[in-house]
Amino acid sequence: MTAVIEVDRVTKSFLGAPVIADLSFSVQEGEAVGIVGPNGAGKTTLLNLIAGDLAPERGTIHFDGRDVTRLRPDKRCHAGLARTAQVPRPFDGLSVFENVLVGATFGTHERASGPAKDLAAQALAQADMLDKANVLAGTLGLLDRKRLELARALATEPKVLLLDEIAGGLTEAEVHLLVEKIRQLAAGGVTIVWIEHIVHALLAMVDRIMAMSFGRKIAEGDPHEVMGSPAVREVYLGVGEA
């Protein structure tokens, strides 16, 4: 397998305190990887570094074989790296279709494979939102706002999709629907990197989990083995090997 994301000894600090500390991490093409850890572990900061919203103080980040450590977020998106936000922020005054059209127009700036309107419609279908294409985004419930966030990312035709707690705030039944949708995307060839506090959602579909604490990797590997490891149990529950 080919590594599509390579994070090599990356460090990022805020006000002198390291949030990501000498972290190395890679994702193989076609893989679905979950990232877990308590609040403050550095998970979203790591996603921001990969997406280009933040720049590391040390270390390098490669995407699809290219050094993107200092590359702008829009250029990374054009290269095939898309993300969803932890809190959906649609353009409330625009329709669902118009929101996704923004993503399709922006994402295909350098690699158009078809008219933006067609790509937007395709992304809405992938996210099960085609029937709400003409609905104002500001009237949507939480699940549909999450689906819209997903559709907007899909409209950029990503090779890798970064998901930041996309299941947060949903009911159990809604989480199940979302997991099935993300499973379908992964089966279709999209590489997934998913941060999530709802661990059973990750266990239902990812190939591998990385656990973080205070900006460092503390465990990585088979999802059930990682979540059952003493190091991860101690971080989450304060339960050591004893």
Side-chain angles (χ1 to χ4, degrees):
M1 296 177 72
T2 303
V4 68
I5 292 175
E6 294 178 277
V7 175
D8 185 25
R9 303 191 69 176
V10 161
T11 293
K12 179 65 180 178
S13 301
F14 294 114
L15 300 177
V19 179
I20 299 292
D22 199 35
L23 181 69
S24 294
F25 168 67
S26 65
V27 179
Q28 306 302 308
E29 187 174 358
E31 193 176 24
V33 179
I35 301 177
V36 300
N39 290 331
K43 305 182 300 298
T44 294
T45 298
L46 175 59
L47 223 62
N48 287 336
L49 288 165
I50 295 171
D53 298 313
L54 293 173
E57 284 129 42
R58 293 191 300 276
T60 60
I61 299 170
H62 283 75
F63 173 65
D64 206 20
R66 175 185 180 188
D67 187 341
V68 298
T69 309
R70 304 299 167 189
L71 196 67
R72 295 191 331 233
D74 59 312
K75 296 296 184 183
R76 298 189 201 196
C77 180
H78 297 157
L81 187 60
R83 70 169 298 175
T84 64
Q86 190 174 120
V87 178
R89 294 185 179 89
F91 300 108
D92 286 346
L94 299 181
S95 70
V96 166
F97 181 80
E98 289 167 333
N99 267 268
V100 179
L101 186 60
V102 171
T105 303
F106 175 78
T108 59
H109 177 69
E110 293 181 352
R111 51 188 180 82
S113 62
K117 288 185 177 180
D118 291 347
L119 292 174
Q122 177 181 311
L124 284 171
Q126 285 180 287
D128 295 333
M129 287 289 287
L130 198 55
D131 62 332
K132 293 183 172 64
N134 296 318
V135 174
L136 279 179
T139 67
L140 297 175
L142 182 59
L143 176 60
D144 284 337
R145 290 169 77 89
K146 301 265 189 178
R147 284 172 166 161
L148 174 55
E149 188 77 11
L150 184 60
R152 197 160 53 181
L154 291 172
T156 69
E157 298 188 285
K159 297 176 183 176
V160 175
L161 186 58
L162 308 175
L163 304 175
D164 191 355
E165 296 189 31
I166 195 169
L170 300 180
T171 68
E172 191 66 27
E174 290 171 338
V175 169
H176 176 74
L177 290 173
L178 199 60
V179 167
E180 287 305 308
K181 177 51 57 182
I182 296 168
R183 194 199 310 276
Q184 290 172 19
L185 296 173
V190 179
T191 302
I192 304 290
V193 180
W194 186 0
I195 289 173
E196 191 56 70
H197 277 296
I198 304 174
V199 175
H200 70 78
L202 297 180
L203 293 176
M205 66 142 303
V206 299
D207 303 306
R208 177 165 55 96
I209 278 181
M210 179 179 73
M212 297 177 61
S213 179
F214 294 108
R216 298 183 181 275
K217 177 168 56 179
I218 59 171
E220 184 177 17
D222 175 84
H224 291 88
E225 290 180 6
V226 167
M227 294 313 301
S229 71
V232 173
R233 285 171 54 83
E234 185 169 5
V235 163
Y236 273 99
L237 305 173
V239 179
E241 293 187 72

